[in-house]
Each structure stands twice: as C-alpha cells, then as structure tokens.
C-alpha cells in the first residue's frame, strides 16, 4: 500500500510548530532590535560614529577591543573584522588586562570597550589605564550614565530593547546589536580608506576566499615557459615547441611582438595532411584567440574560458597585445578557484 504524503517516514522527526514559532519569535524580536538601532543613526549614534571613525583614522596605533563574557566574544569578532579590512586591531581580555596584558596598549592606540550595562567590573582597570595614560576610549554600551559611559571620549549608545531570551537574561538582541554596530564601524572605515578587493586578499591568502581573489598574474606561466613562435615558423618547429612546453598549444607573435594567433590540437586536426609540417604557422593558426589581462581575477578568466562556444583549456595573458603569460585551466582548478 502506498504511503500517504502526510505520513512521517520512519526515523523522520515530526514537524514541531512550537519550536518553529519560538524561532520565528526570536528572529522577529532581534529584527526589531536592529531596526531600533538603525533608527538612531539619524541622531546621536550617527554623530558618535563620525567621532569614532575620526579618532581611529587619526590614531598611529591599533584599535584595542575589550570586553567580558558575551560582550567579549563579540569584541573578538569585531577586532577580527577590523583587522581583516585594513584597520589594525586586536582583542584584549578585560580580566587578563589587570594581570599584565595592559602592556599591549600604547598611547598611540584607541581602546574600544564593550559592555551592555557599562558597569562591567573587570573593565575598571582598563578604563583607569586609558584615563591615566591619555589613551582615547570609545565605548559601546546602552547606558551613557554608567561608569564606562562617563569615562569614554565617545559613546556609541545602543537602544534598550527586548532580549529574545524569554527570561530577559541571556544576551541575545543586545549582543546582536553590538555585533552590528561593530560591523558598521568596520565597513565605514573600509569605505573611507578605499579598501579594495586586492587589499582584502593581502589579509585573506588562504581558503576559498583567498582563491576567489587570485589574479591571472598569480597563476600564469611566464618567460621561457610560454610556448611561442614567430610568423614564418614551419609547422615542424611549431610541433616541437608544443611538445616541449606541454600546454597543448602554441602562441604566434608578429614582427612587433604582438599575439596574432594560436595553434591548438584542433588546428592540427583540421590541417592534417602530407604538407602540414612544411607549412608556415600563419597558414594553420587560429587568429584573434581568447586573451585575458594579467590583473584580471582568475575566476573571471575561468568564466571566459567556459563561456566559449567550444570551451578552451588554455588562455594567454597579454599586456598591450603582447603575451606576458599563459594560464591553463588546471592551474586555476589546482588553486581552488571555482
């Protein structure tokens, strides 16, 4: 007997509407928190962010982010985001600061302290140190009249909103807003500095992200590795060049050193005959081959190669129409570019 579509398959949990409603409620409450945060940008928060970015841009040192508990975890992420987007930053554990780690902080730095209440006891020594040695102090808190709020040079004030935790105890909406304002600060600094994808790759050389930012020039073969011949070269010599360089093709340059064509195995098959080896290369080559710029992303080059009516596996990189490198699809795939 056929099983009904509404009958749960053995081992498959039943749809739990209570759980799903809990998830929807949490997301709705946190979305309200972000909306409230966004609304304050038109007022004091926007002014405070302008002052904060000015302090950070004018500093000769780093942004030292500090906090405790959940705020500390958020602080670590903010420091990592700042560092990866062109703003030197590190995280200072507020409790460890009192046991020697304050030595990380110099008068050239800017301190960014995070505390929802502004009364985190472990921040006391950090705040005292900042005031004693005239280190600029920024605060992310919901209470401007707190100890932290009164001590800070600039306060990024978070609106008091409902926590998603039904008991109102676990930091949820509040930490989401801390994270969001940290991201907003990092992106504002990124945009003001004109931080580009090329700059971003310097700090992200590994993993899929690093692979996506690789350029053709990072992967291409250059100089004597390129299979090249000039106009007038007999096909017998062209075959030796193709075999020796092992790219399965050969570029053809004119008298000015410009790339005029390419010879592939397809060209060889089309011109197969008794006189092939005696023919000059220009009578066999394919003119106007696919080329890329050396500063193009390798992922873009891969896309061009795949979009050809007949996909190609090799492409020459040119500068001012002259070949400067050759890139095989295997080079791209080995680098993890997809």
């Amino acid at each position: 007997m056929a099983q009904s579509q509404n009958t749960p398959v053995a081992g498959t949990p039943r749809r739990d509407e209570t759980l799903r409603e809990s998830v929807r409620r949490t997301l709705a409450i946190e979305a309200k928190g972000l909306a409230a945060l966004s609304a304050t940008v038109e007022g004091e928060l926007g002014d405070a962010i302008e002052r904060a970015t000015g302090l950070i841009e004018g500093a000769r040192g780093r942004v030292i982010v500090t906090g405790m508990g959940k705020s500390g975890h958020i602080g670590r992420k903010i420091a990592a985001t700042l560092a990866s987007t062109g703003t030197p930053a590190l995280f200072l554990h507020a409790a460890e600061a009192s046991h020697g780690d304050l030595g990380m902080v110099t008068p050239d730095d800017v301190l960014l302290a995070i505390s929802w209440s502004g009364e985190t006891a472990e921040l006391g020594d950090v705040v005292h140190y900042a005031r004693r040695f005239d280190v600029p102090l920024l605060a992310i808190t919901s209470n401007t009249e707190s100890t932290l709020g009164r001590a800070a040079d600039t306060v990024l004030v978070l609106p008091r909103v409902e926590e998603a935790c039904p008991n109102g105890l676990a930091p949820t909406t509040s930490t989401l807003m801390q994270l969001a304002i940290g991201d907003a600060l990092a992106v504002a600094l990124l945009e003001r500095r004109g931080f580009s994808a090329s700059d971003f790759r310097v700090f992200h050389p590994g993993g899929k992200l690093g692979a996506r930012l690789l350029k053709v020039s990072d992967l291409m073969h250059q100089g004597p590795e390129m299979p090249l011949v000039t106009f007038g070269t007999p096909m017998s010599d062209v075959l030796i060049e193709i075999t020796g360089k092992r790219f399965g093709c050969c570029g053809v340059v004119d008298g000015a050193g410009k790339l005029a064509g390419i010879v592939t195995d397809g060209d060889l098959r089309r011109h197969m005959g008794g006189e092939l080896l005696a023919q000059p290369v220009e009578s066999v080559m394919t003119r106007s081959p696919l080329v890329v710029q050396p500063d193009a992303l390798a992922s873009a080059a891969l896309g061009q190669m795949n979009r050809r009516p007949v996909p190609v596996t090799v492409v020459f990189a040119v500068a001012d129409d002259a070949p400067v490198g050759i890139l095989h699809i295997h080079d791209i795939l080995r680098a993890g570019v997809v």
Side-chain angles (χ1 to χ4, degrees):
M1 179 178 177
Q3 192 174 39
S4 167
Q5 289 185 339
N6 297 323
T7 302
V9 178
T12 302
R14 293 178 179 272
R15 183 182 180 96
D16 190 334
E17 287 299 338
T18 301
L19 181 146
R20 292 168 188 256
E21 179 54 34
S22 173
V23 171
R24 286 191 289 267
R25 184 174 62 252
T26 296
L27 295 177
I29 292 172
E30 294 194 342
K32 287 180 182 178
L34 290 179
L37 179 64
S38 180
T40 63
V41 174
E42 299 304 319
E44 174 57 27
L45 181 59
D47 296 337
I49 289 178
E50 288 187 20
R51 294 193 297 271
T53 54
L55 272 174
I56 293 170
E57 287 178 318
R60 291 182 293 176
R62 306 146 301 173
V63 178
I64 312 295
V65 186
T66 187
M68 280 296 296
K70 304 301 184 295
S71 295
H73 294 308
I74 296 298
R76 285 184 185 276
K77 193 276 179 184
I78 292 174
T81 299
L82 287 167
S84 71
T85 53
T87 300
L90 58 84
F91 178 75
L92 171 65
H93 192 287
E96 295 293 345
S98 302
H99 297 274
D101 284 2
L102 278 171
M104 298 179 183
V105 186
T106 76
D108 291 334
D109 297 326
V110 174
L111 269 164
L112 173 59
I114 307 172
S115 170
W116 178 253
S117 68
E119 299 294 348
T120 304
E122 291 86 351
L123 286 175
D125 288 337
V126 178
V127 172
H128 176 71
Y129 185 90
R131 299 303 74 182
R132 179 183 176 189
F133 293 101
D134 200 26
V135 180
L137 177 61
L138 307 175
I140 297 177
T141 182
S142 67
N143 187 0
T144 55
E145 296 304 313
S146 63
T147 301
L148 176 61
R150 291 195 303 271
D153 297 296
T154 295
V155 181
L156 306 181
V157 185
L158 304 179
R160 291 182 174 274
V161 295
E162 178 186 3
E163 295 283 15
C165 169
N167 299 316
L169 299 175
T172 46
T173 312
S174 56
T175 48
L176 179 63
M177 290 195 300
Q178 290 173 345
L179 180 62
I181 201 63
D183 284 345
L185 185 61
V187 171
L189 288 163
L190 175 157
E191 292 179 341
R192 286 167 70 99
R193 287 194 171 101
F195 194 78
S196 67
S198 296
D199 298 321
F200 198 77
R201 181 178 169 257
V202 172
F203 304 121
H204 298 77
K208 289 293 183 183
L209 186 56
R212 284 174 51 196
L213 296 172
L214 286 171
K215 293 182 178 180
V216 169
S217 57
D218 297 318
L219 301 176
M220 69 187 188
H221 303 265
Q222 304 177 64
E225 292 185 78
M226 290 189 291
L228 293 173
V229 297
T230 58
F231 274 1
T233 301
M235 284 301 299
S236 57
D237 291 341
V238 174
L239 285 176
I240 294 173
E241 182 74 359
I242 292 175
T243 303
K245 298 298 174 64
R246 299 184 178 181
F247 285 97
C249 70
C250 185
V252 184
V253 295
D254 60 19
K258 309 291 187 180
L259 185 69
I262 189 172
V263 177
T264 67
D265 58 351
D267 296 314
L268 297 177
R269 288 193 299 271
R270 284 188 290 273
H271 292 82
M272 188 63 67
E275 302 299 318
L276 172 63
L277 297 182
Q279 293 185 55
V281 66
E282 57 267 31
S283 66
V284 175
M285 72 181 189
T286 295
R287 298 180 182 273
S288 302
L290 174 67
V291 296
V292 295
Q293 297 298 310
D295 61 351
L297 289 175
S299 57
L302 178 61
Q304 288 181 260
M305 295 163 77
N306 287 334
R307 283 193 295 270
R308 299 284 282 194
V310 177
V312 300
T313 58
V314 179
V315 64
F316 276 95
V318 299
D320 296 325
D321 296 326
V324 294
I326 185 171
L327 182 64
H328 197 283
I329 193 169
H330 289 166
D331 300 318
I332 300 175
L333 298 178
R334 272 195 298 267
V337 179
V338 293

